[in-house]
Amino acid sequence: MTHLMWALRVLRFPFYAGWEIIRTSFEVMWDIVTPGSASTPAFVEVPIRCGSDLETTMLANLISLTPGTVTVAVRREPATLWVHGLYVKDRESFLEGIREMENHILAATRLTGPPESTPAEGGRN
């Protein structure tokens, strides 16, 4: 049963990633075509639970593929990404979005799925 659930999570991942790219593309496009700017850019230090180079690379790349965000730096110990976000209204909601991405990646790369705990909060935006 565990292998079946993992296979379903792997099959679901490309749809999740595709939807995130499409959704955020429209957010950035809307900001461009409407008067003014809704951007609130910031750098955010993001503690991560990725344990392998593959998981960290997948997360960093998915963040950078998503319009409005880019991974700027990676640290192994403690596992941390620095992300520039174009629409960072508040740090917690931005971190929650990155954690959701990480959960989907860990669900696809680990047989047991993502761990329940979140890393210790670190850094400031």
Side-chain angles (χ1 to χ4, degrees), residues 1 21 41 46 74 78 83-84 87 96 105 109 112 118 120 123:
M1 185 64 168
I21 291 168
V46 182
V74 178
V83 178
H84 179 270
Y87 303 102
E96 193 57 41
I105 288 170
T109 58
T112 58
T118 58

Side-chain angles (χ1 to χ4, degrees), residues 3 5 9 11 16 46 49 87 89-90 106 109 120 124:
H3 287 77
M5 294 305 294
R9 292 190 310 261
L11 292 172
Y16 166 77
V46 182
R49 296 166 291 155
Y87 303 102
K89 294 187 183 5
D90 67 277
L106 297 179
T109 58
R124 302 175 206 271

Side-chain angles (χ1 to χ4, degrees), residues 17 20-21 23-25 61-70 101:
E20 283 299 302
I21 291 168
R23 183 183 63 78
T24 55
S25 293
N61 285 337
L62 183 56
I63 289 169
S64 294
L65 282 170
T66 305
T69 56
V70 65
M101 280 185 187

Side-chain angles (χ1 to χ4, degrees), residues 11-109:
L11 292 172
R12 185 178 67 180
F13 179 74
F15 294 100
Y16 166 77
W19 173 250
E20 283 299 302
I21 291 168
I22 291 168
R23 183 183 63 78
T24 55
S25 293
F26 278 105
E27 287 178 11
V28 172
M29 180 193 68
W30 184 254
D31 191 25
I32 291 169
V33 300
T34 56
S37 176
S39 69
T40 51
F43 285 96
V44 179
E45 184 176 350
V46 182
I48 59 174
R49 296 166 291 155
C50 296
S52 69
D53 288 344
L54 173 67
E55 291 170 347
T56 303
T57 301
M58 285 179 67
L59 179 59
N61 285 337
L62 183 56
I63 289 169
S64 294
L65 282 170
T66 305
T69 56
V70 65
T71 303
V72 179
V74 178
R75 179 174 60 198
R76 285 185 183 215
E77 288 298 325
T80 307
L81 298 178
W82 281 270
V83 178
H84 179 270
L86 193 54
Y87 303 102
V88 181
K89 294 187 183 5
D90 67 277
R91 183 176 182 273
E92 276 310 308
S93 63
F94 185 78
L95 285 173
E96 193 57 41
I98 301 295
R99 285 185 197 118
E100 182 181 347
M101 280 185 187
E102 184 180 27
N103 283 338
H104 282 274
I105 288 170
L106 297 179
T109 58

